Amino acid sequence: MDAKVDKTLKITTPSDLEFAMTRVFDAPRHLVFDAMTKPEHVRRWLGSAEQAVLGCEIDLRVGGGYRFTMRSAGGVASMLQGTYREIARPERVVFTERFSMPGFTSEEYQVKSSFVEAGGKTTLTTTILHDSKENRDGHLNSGVEKGVAPAYDRLAGVVAAMA
Amino acid sequence: MSDPLSATFAALADPTRRAILARLALGETSVTELAEPFDMSLPAISKHLKVLEHAGLISRGREAQWRPCRIAPTSLKQVDGWLGNFRRFWDESFNRLDGYLQELKANEMVHAAGQTKQRGRVRKEKQRGRKSG
């Protein structure tokens, strides 16, 4: 009965200020919505080999906050945190977010996740809106290579030269 | 604080901290050794080290009592690509979510089946009740 689900994560740039991630899940949308918004569920799946999620607090109401604390394989702590702006279970959730780690805090950006169900499968589209193209590109990480990293390299060079 | 370089530049604005970095560029050392050339107390030096550590410019070892300080050129580059690699972070997370959703789906089915059984039992008990009463 199951048509093959294409589980590829697709990343597109709908405008200069946005990028969008699209992913299909083989489950009804109320389950996908809950899995992404309840801490006891989020703890079970969020994280990667190089970025472990250690803590997860969610106050799921408009104006409520959330905080995910992480640690990289190299031991660097970081945090994703923000505030819920709109909660329409199981269709849509909108929140603001900021990423921080020692020496770096991102600008605040807006995240909108929409859940569309068809035939028992859910298409999740997460659109991330930044207030500048530079920040959008930085988030997608191409811009970081061009912007911040060379600045840090120069800085490291300056510091080395002072010795 | 929202400018990625602001913490770094704030840390570098102070001449003592720049001198500390210059010393550390030669190799790791202890706080006591670092404090020697400066006319400063150890707590004052420690305060400067905290600022540098917070800015990601130095790291401090935990392996020894004397907590060696070292310059952290790798941490300077770790801002690159946030989350290590943005795409890989979500790709791996969503792959795990696939498995977890199947678990949630199965739980929901077991739960729904349990409820149907329970409703059936209640109906039967009601019928029995009517017959006997």
Side-chain angles (χ1 to χ4, degrees):
Chain A
M1 94 193 183
D2 269 352
K4 257 245 184 282
V5 181
D6 180 3
K7 289 177 175 165
T8 319
L9 175 66
K10 292 183 182 79
I11 298 182
T12 56
T13 48
S15 78
D16 272 358
L17 300 181
E18 295 165 298
F19 72 93
M21 297 195 292
T22 308
R23 177 67 152 74
V24 181
F25 296 97
D26 184 15
R29 66 178 176 176
H30 70 273
L31 288 183
V32 184
F33 186 96
D34 287 352
M36 297 194 74
T37 51
K38 290 188 174 175
E40 67 269 30
H41 293 324
V42 173
R43 281 191 202 103
R44 297 285 302 275
W45 60 269
L46 187 67
S48 68
E50 40 181 56
Q51 202 63 244
V53 174
L54 304 181
C56 167
E57 296 159 42
I58 296 175
D59 179 14
L60 189 63
R61 56 194 170 89
V62 173
Y66 72 91
R67 183 158 60 164
F68 302 154
T69 50
M70 298 172 289
R71 185 173 291 275
S72 76
V76 178
S78 61
M79 190 165 25
L80 280 172
Q81 61 185 328
T83 307
Y84 288 102
R85 293 285 176 234
E86 188 189 346
I87 297 154
R89 181 184 186 267
E91 271 177 54
R92 191 171 54 251
V93 59
V94 182
F95 52 90
T96 58
E97 187 171 86
R98 215 184 260 285
F99 173 80
S100 53
M101 61 187 287
F104 174 75
T105 301
S106 79
E107 293 283 349
E108 191 176 78
Y109 47 93
Q110 184 194 269
V111 183
K112 182 170 109 185
S113 287
S114 64
F115 305 77
V116 175
E117 187 180 323
K121 296 175 199 349
T122 301
T123 302
L124 165 72
T125 304
T126 299
T127 308
I128 291 158
L129 171 67
H130 279 274
D131 54 14
S132 76
K133 186 176 184 301
E134 288 67 36
N135 289 331
R136 193 276 314 259
D137 291 347
H139 199 162
L140 274 172
N141 96 32
S142 52
V144 172
E145 278 160 38
K146 289 190 210 91
V148 176
Y152 277 127
D153 280 345
R154 278 199 300 278
L155 186 60
V158 168
V159 168
M162 294 187 319
Chain B
M1 253 332 275
S2 50
D3 170 7
L5 291 172
S6 58
T8 311
F9 286 133
L12 287 170
D14 182 275
T16 306
R17 290 197 286 267
R18 287 200 300 272
I20 289 172
L21 281 174
R23 166 62 191 85
L24 289 176
L26 299 172
E28 67 173 41
T29 184
S30 69
V31 181
T32 325
E33 260 189 287
L34 263 182
E36 264 170 24
F38 303 102
D39 188 19
M40 265 186 188
S41 66
L42 278 181
I45 291 287
S46 288
K47 221 174 191 173
H48 285 306
L49 291 175
K50 262 189 201 135
V51 176
L52 289 168
E53 198 177 4
H54 177 74
L57 288 164
I58 66 162
S59 65
R60 304 194 55 189
R62 305 198 190 283
E63 61 271 38
Q65 185 89 46
W66 53 283
R67 300 204 58 205
C69 304
R70 56 183 78 98
I71 203 156
T74 49
S75 85
L76 295 179
K77 288 180 191 162
Q78 262 154 354
V79 174
D80 192 357
W82 295 20
L83 303 175
N85 178 316
F86 178 81
R87 190 195 178 94
R88 207 176 317 154
F89 178 78
W90 285 106
D91 216 15
E92 279 186 45
S93 292
F94 285 157
N95 286 341
R96 274 159 51 165
L97 179 55
D98 281 331
Y100 186 58
L101 282 169
Q102 294 319 304
E103 229 179 275
L104 290 180
K105 242 161 81 167
N107 284 349
E108 205 176 52
M109 264 189 300
V110 169
H111 190 67
Q115 272 185 340
T116 315
K117 223 188 258 171
Q118 207 147 32
R119 270 200 299 275
R121 200 161 47 232
V122 169
R123 218 171 11 248
K124 265 180 212 154
E125 272 161 18
K126 272 186 185 160
Q127 283 167 355
R128 252 202 313 277
R130 266 202 298 276
K131 267 178 208 160
S132 64

